[in-house]
Amino acid sequence: MTEKKTFYITTPIYYPSAKLHIGHAYCTTIADSIARFHRLAGEDVFFLTGSDEHGQKIQEKAEAEGVTPIEYTDKIVAGFQNLWQRLNISNDDFIRTTQKRHEKVVQEIFRRIYAKGDIYKGSYKGLYCTPCESYWTEHQLDENGCCPDCHRPVQEVAEEAYFFKMSNYQDRILAYIEENPEFIQPASRRNEMINFIKQGLEDLCISRTSFDWGIPVPIDKKHVIYVWFDALTNYLTPIGFLDDPEKFNKYWPANLHLVGKEIVRFHTIIWPCILMALDLPLPKKVYGHGWLIVDGDKMSKSKGNVVDPIALIDEFGADAIRYFLLREINLGQDGNFSRDALIQRINSDLANDLGNLLHRTLNMIGKFQDGIVLAPQGESEIDASLKADAAETVQFFDENMQKMELSLTIKKVWAFISRANKYIDETAPWALAKEPEKKQELANVMYNLVESLRHISVLIAPFMPITAERIWQQLNLPQAFAEVQLDDIRAWGGTPADLKVGTPEQLFPRIEVEKEEQPAKQPKANKQKKEKKADKKDDSGEVTFDEFSKLQLRVAKVLAAEKIPETDKLLKLKVDLGSEQRELVSGIANHYEPSELIGKNVVMVANLKPAKIRGVVSHGMVLAASQGDDLKVVSVDMPVGAVVK
Ligand code: MSP
């Protein structure tokens, strides 16, 4: 038997400095669907996530709560594990940097590099950002003298410390990055790293003495090891670095470290230098994904816009959240999370497209064929085109999931779902059922629909594992779902004849939203009270910066424009905001032909409350400049989704 191809994938290990938010869930969900895809493709996958529990930041948090650091992290890490379970994350191990198995690895690595002469003792005087656990030099700070990553104040640190001779590896790491374009992705991050290294790598301070929550330096117990030196080595611990060489050789080098864009530097400069010092091969790929922002803004406690993934899962279910995150956001770029867009996707893609396809199919088989899938015979042109589309979709899925094109792949699978829905309309089974001589034709249509759904169940499994299995079970397919592989849908016809399908159960209930003019729904008393309060507060006509910054102005591309019948001024526009598409109404019909607007990048108020205008739910407002009779929409040469501030 040939050995299975292996695939080792990791997420960052998360700081238990607070509860995890939807941005962390995004990162782990991406990794989970990639891991699930590789398992489906028949590979031997090892998927690792965990918690990064040492360091000054955690010690300070624990002190603030009056508990020991380990009491503090135990509680928060239990929350992480609960979240991953609720999201159906299929990790093969969960590493905690406080575990003995990890401490042993870190100390051994320190010893080996010290013995090699690449670690030396010196004294550190410089700047430190505790929230990022990062050292900085004066010239690296931002324009306000703060941390260039998180823009918070840095502290002066002066301590005796051990240093890692990163400078020894500068040329090798630069050459490696330049010679291996696959190593850092996307390409923009690769260029940033090349520029960073070209400015010169300084030796890295890898121990601290001013607090003690860390792994002791094995040769000098008053020092604890710098948290990033400790954290990065987590990737070696669970695959047997110290105790299982066979396992280690099987999985190392990792195929993919998936990380957020702000920690690419640690993974593509510091980590490779550590590995080179250990004479170990470098990971094959480090992918720096973009951030999830909320309604156009970065999530933060102080802004009060932190989205709790558990609350969302309770409300909408894990698969709907997973679908939204993976479908809406392009991996390399920042992407927006909005509740409205989530609900829209659930209703249109999940309840409507997918839910209806399953429901209609099972209903018709129940009604026309007593729930039995009959053997197909022959094929029409429409049947042949459906099968060709299925084969093309499977091919696309395979190629694009290998390339981590998750959003593109999902869109392609949904195009096939729409195709299958259209097949029902084209073949009109209800009409075939009325003509006894068309019995075989009807049987063929029913067979093809079940077979399409069998394909769809497998194709959505990496993204929505629970829904995939629910579809499989409603189809009542005999093969155990856990054993299904991508190879099972490489050919048409895997559904056995005479299968008795189940009765349809709803996959996703539609979410009802308030569609009518929302401002008019505000209780009157409350509204008057608010207006009075506003009157009292300020009648200068000036707005504060805080008031202004509530407005979210974003660049959007006009995709379609049409006049609203029986109005003079109103156009209905469809716009693309990058993270979502919207419909809105604009009173500019006297100034523009609809076709003149198509393709323009306009500025819009993205967080205007939706209102129903002439039967159209208008979600946002396009800005325009006017003087006298002249009016022009505000249009800028910036990409879709850009924030105007
Ligand atoms: N502990 C370090 C990682 C060590 S890996 C050896 C760390 N932890 S973290 O908890 O601050 O962040 C973990 C990951 O979550 C990072 O990759 C970060 O980019 C990601 N995210 C945090 N907020 C995010 C969003 N809003 N959106 C997407 N990812 C986000 O860094």
Side-chain angles (χ1 to χ4, degrees), residues 12-15 21 23-24 26-27 52 228 231-232 234-235 259-263 267 289-292 299:
I13 48 172
Y14 298 91
Y15 288 129
H21 56 59
H24 304 112
Y26 169 58
C27 179
D52 183 2
W228 270 99
L232 287 161
N234 92 85
Y235 300 131
V259 301
K261 61 181 181 181
E262 85 288 10
I263 58 171
H267 284 82
H289 65 73
W291 281 338
L292 193 65
M299 253 176 291

Side-chain angles (χ1 to χ4, degrees), residues 304-372:
N305 64 350
V306 175
V307 177
D308 174 9
I310 292 281
L312 277 184
I313 297 169
D314 286 343
E315 191 173 357
F316 300 108
D319 273 3
I321 313 297
R322 292 174 60 115
Y323 175 78
F324 178 82
L325 295 175
L326 300 170
R327 156 75 173 69
E328 286 293 285
I329 297 153
N330 277 330
L331 213 54
Q333 291 157 18
D334 288 353
N336 195 43
F337 174 84
S338 100
R339 200 184 151 81
D340 286 355
L342 168 67
I343 292 176
Q344 209 177 328
R345 283 273 156 236
I346 294 176
N347 285 345
S348 69
D349 301 8
L350 304 183
N352 211 25
D353 298 345
L354 179 60
N356 277 349
L357 177 64
L358 178 70
H359 201 268
R360 288 164 94 189
T361 302
L362 295 185
N363 238 350
M364 289 189 292
I365 299 180
K367 209 156 124 198
F368 305 145
Q369 299 182 167
D370 293 327
I372 309 286

Side-chain angles (χ1 to χ4, degrees), residues 129 136-137 140-142 145-152 154 265:
C129 172
W136 296 110
T137 58
Q140 289 170 323
L141 300 181
D142 72 5
C146 291
C147 167
D149 274 353
C150 73
H151 305 288
R152 280 176 279 202
V154 290
R265 188 170 59 89

Side-chain angles (χ1 to χ4, degrees), residues 12 35 76 79 85 89 99 151 155 191 196 294 304 337-339 352 393 396 412 474 496 502 521 533 545 549 613 630:
I76 300 215
Q85 212 178 2
I89 301 300
Q99 290 165 335
H151 305 288
Q155 284 169 275
N191 298 336
F196 189 92
V294 170
F337 174 84
S338 100
R339 200 184 151 81
N352 211 25
T393 308
F396 186 98
K412 183 76 177 173
Q474 289 190 48
K521 283 203 157 175
K533 210 170 149 199
F545 183 74
S549 53
I613 304 171
D630 200 8

